[in-house]
Amino acid sequence: MDFLTLIQVLDSTIRLATPLLLACLAGLFSERAGIFDIGLEGKMLAAAFLSAAVAYVTGSVWLGLLAGIAASLMLSLLHGLASITFRGNQLISGVAINFLASGLTVLVAQDWFSQGGRTPSLTGGGRFTGITLPFAEALDGVPIIGPIYSELISGHSILVYMAFALVPLTWWVLYRTRFGLRLRAVGENPAAVDTAGISVKGLRFAAVMICGVLCGIAGAYLSTALQAGFVKEMTAGRGYIALAALIFAKWRPWHALWACLLFGLLQAIALRYQNINLGGLVIPVQVMDALPYILTVVILAGFVGKAIPPRAGGEPYVKER
């Protein structure tokens, strides 16, 4: 693999890791507050559809982004009502959201656009385009540094830079603010938080809503930046991969970044190198496509060491009388 090919693979890695990173950070906020969210996939899917649909109708990708966030927030509110207010099973609620989004997006898309459950292709102002950073063109001819800056760092959409900027921001919020301290505490010992006079429900709803915003951005990125429109089941399991990355990272923001980049790298390699010949043994394209999912199974099987979730995770809080 030559240097330019390596740069191209890493560039694809960043683009493919972005929705995983956003969804992973979304799950981080939710699960740190004690709310397990299997519904990341469904929220991303709903956001991907509505953002693409609104962007196509209005011609504004920013209105599409807001619509995608709104769709994800509605599903987050539904999950919060089911698991926090009515103290239902969080896993079942998340799975129900996934099924709801999977069916509803195709149904509405077919009724709205009559294109087999997809939206028309987005063009012009309906898509997020790449941003050329300062001096990218001037440095393009400089050996090594030029391609890294102009090809790898520059040229991504604003949502990519936003996703990577959210990693230190998430770390700061969780570990350097009073809100973050309370959020982590409510996932470990909600009774102690309640005793201090702080609303457990309020904190958990706040975490679920933050999760909804980030999933909305992730879904909008898929259909308005990574691709040019919505297609059926376009999330392709990314919500579940993000959950696996979250477990791999042991619920820590910086570790989540590297875990998502690893998954993104596997996806980039699978897209670029197909039917690889290793000493006469040809690896089928299906095996390459399955690499990210194989790693997901390996991680969930516990081969990355013991990952201990928040102690109160998945358990509804009942206020003592």
Side-chain angles (χ1 to χ4, degrees), residues 200-247:
V200 173
K201 285 186 177 181
L203 279 171
R204 287 188 165 179
F205 262 109
V208 168
M209 292 298 105
I210 293 173
C211 174
V213 171
L214 295 178
C215 282
I217 299 173
Y221 172 81
L222 285 174
S223 60
T224 61
L226 190 63
Q227 298 185 34
F230 173 83
V231 295
K232 179 181 178 181
E233 303 293 350
M234 73 179 306
T235 48
R238 285 182 173 90
Y240 301 111
I241 293 178
L243 285 174
L246 184 59
I247 296 171

Side-chain angles (χ1 to χ4, degrees), residues 22 39-55 61 63-76 97 101-102 104-105 112 119 122 128 159 211-225 229-231 234-235:
L22 287 165
L40 299 178
E41 179 87 359
K43 294 172 188 176
M44 291 171 65
L45 192 62
F49 163 68
L50 198 59
S51 61
V54 171
V61 69
L63 289 178
L65 175 62
L66 291 177
I69 292 174
S72 181
L73 280 173
M74 290 298 295
L75 292 180
S76 288
I97 286 174
S102 178
L104 201 59
T105 51
W112 196 345
T119 62
L122 301 177
F128 282 106
L159 296 185
C211 174
V213 171
L214 295 178
C215 282
I217 299 173
Y221 172 81
L222 285 174
S223 60
T224 61
F230 173 83
V231 295
M234 73 179 306
T235 48

Side-chain angles (χ1 to χ4, degrees), residues 11 38 54 71 73 177 259 286 304:
D11 180 72
I38 305 296
V54 171
L73 280 173
T177 67
Q286 291 83 0
V304 294

Side-chain angles (χ1 to χ4, degrees), residues 30 34-37 76-91 93-94 97 201 204-205 208 314-317:
S30 182
I35 304 297
F36 288 162
D37 196 347
S76 288
L77 180 61
L78 182 63
H79 181 57
L81 288 172
S83 59
I84 301 173
T85 303
F86 298 110
R87 298 194 290 272
N89 187 289
Q90 297 174 9
L91 301 182
S93 173
I97 286 174
K201 285 186 177 181
R204 287 188 165 179
F205 262 109
V208 168
E315 299 178 4
Y317 176 67

Side-chain angles (χ1 to χ4, degrees), residues 3 7 11 15 29 32 34 47 51 53 56 67 85 94 108 130 142 145 147 179 183 197 209 223 268 277 286 292 312:
F3 181 69
I7 292 295
D11 180 72
R15 297 177 191 274
F29 274 101
R32 275 292 188 177
S51 61
Y56 173 77
T85 303
V108 176
V142 179
I145 297 177
F179 172 76
L183 192 73
M209 292 298 105
S223 60
N277 191 330
Q286 291 83 0

Side-chain angles (χ1 to χ4, degrees), residues 262-283:
L262 174 61
F263 279 105
L265 177 62
L266 289 177
Q267 289 182 333
I269 291 174
L271 288 174
R272 187 171 184 87
Y273 297 101
Q274 301 180 352
N275 294 323
I276 296 178
N277 191 330
L278 295 177
L281 176 63
V282 178
I283 301 178

